[in-house]
Amino acid sequence: MAIMNMYQESDEAQLVDALREIQFATLVTHMPDRLECSHVPMFAKETEDGLTLESHVARRNEHWRCASAGPSIAIFQGPQAYISPGWYPSKQEHGKVVPTWNYLVVHAHGLLEAIDDRNFLLAHIDDLTKRNESDRAEPWGIDDAPGDYIPKLTRGIVGLRLKVSRLDGASKMGQNRTDADRKGAVAGLSDENEFGASAVAEKMLSLIPD
């Protein structure tokens, strides 16, 4: 991934926090004759071997059959939004402004393996469920389903585990603009109804000194 220095996020803890927050990834495995691609939720775990990302696909999805065929990358696309130059105060001062796009993205590189194991799948589903249900007033748990229901469903899926060898990240949030221009962009985004606008505004605001 080509990243300008000012947008590069090199703090691994920040990158792990970001992918934990995003959760959903585009998983790509390099095959000799093609790229195998799936869109999957991924659960991050710190193990004695380092960071791993656990996921699953439907058994009919051929991705699990070619998991170990080549290197893989999980692409976590965070909030993104179009930035209008009309929001910058500098437009009125000198006019030397252009549209751009602000975004957050994390790439996790590594080797993928398929895990066709019922115990792994039950633990994985439990992890994903607790991650997304724990803050709810009445969280759903896998034990809420009839005793044999979830185990039966696991027959139709196969687990995947990516052992992460490298993380790359970019957070392009107006670092090249003045504080005044960034505040203008935050104000503009706050009035938008486009997907991701409010999340990008929040990220940008966190970079502006009080």
Side-chain angles (χ1 to χ4, degrees):
M1 176 168 56
I3 314 172
M4 291 181 63
N5 288 340
M6 71 175 69
Y7 305 137
Q8 185 170 15
E9 180 57 73
S10 55
D11 186 323
E12 184 167 324
Q14 292 290 332
L15 293 173
V16 173
D17 285 345
L19 63 83
R20 285 186 192 277
E21 181 180 359
I22 298 166
Q23 294 193 77
F24 200 72
T26 301
L27 179 63
V28 183
T29 298
H30 187 270
M31 301 285 291
D33 59 341
R34 69 184 189 280
L35 294 175
E36 191 71 34
C37 180
S38 297
H39 303 278
V40 292
M42 303 197 85
F43 186 83
K45 277 188 173 180
E46 297 284 357
T47 71
E48 59 182 15
D49 294 326
L51 178 68
T52 62
L53 299 173
E54 296 181 352
S55 188
H56 66 278
V57 291
R59 188 170 292 275
R60 65 178 178 274
N61 184 330
E62 292 295 315
H63 205 144
W64 69 272
R65 296 185 185 277
C66 60
S68 59
S72 293
I73 179 173
I75 303 170
F76 293 82
Q77 176 70 62
Q80 49 81 23
Y82 171 81
I83 306 297
S84 170
W87 294 335
Y88 299 147
S90 59
K91 175 182 179 293
Q92 307 302 323
E93 298 170 10
H94 50 67
K96 297 178 181 179
V97 293
V98 293
T100 191
W101 218 280
N102 283 1
Y103 60 89
L104 170 66
V105 67
V106 180
H107 289 186
H109 301 259
L111 295 178
L112 189 67
E113 63 175 318
I115 306 177
D116 196 2
D117 178 83
R118 191 68 52 83
N119 290 331
F120 170 88
L121 288 168
L122 288 173
H124 167 62
I125 293 169
D126 191 45
D127 286 337
L128 274 179
T129 301
K130 288 177 178 176
R131 166 67 177 82
N132 291 283
E133 290 281 343
S134 59
D135 292 335
R136 300 180 186 276
E138 297 183 11
W140 183 89
I142 61 174
D143 291 337
D144 292 339
D148 61 345
Y149 182 69
I150 301 297
K152 282 183 178 179
L153 289 182
T154 62
R155 297 172 187 168
I157 61 176
V158 179
L160 294 172
R161 180 163 55 203
L162 180 71
K163 184 177 179 180
V164 179
S165 59
R166 187 175 93 242
L167 289 175
D168 297 324
S171 180
K172 182 179 179 294
M173 294 292 166
Q175 293 94 324
N176 62 325
R177 308 305 310 181
T178 64
D179 288 345
D181 277 356
R182 280 189 279 177
K183 288 178 181 177
V186 168
L189 287 166
S190 298
D191 291 333
E192 294 280 282
N193 293 319
E194 298 295 330
F195 176 78
S198 61
V200 170
E202 184 177 342
K203 294 286 186 183
M204 291 184 68
L205 193 59
S206 69
L207 299 177
I208 300 174
D210 294 333

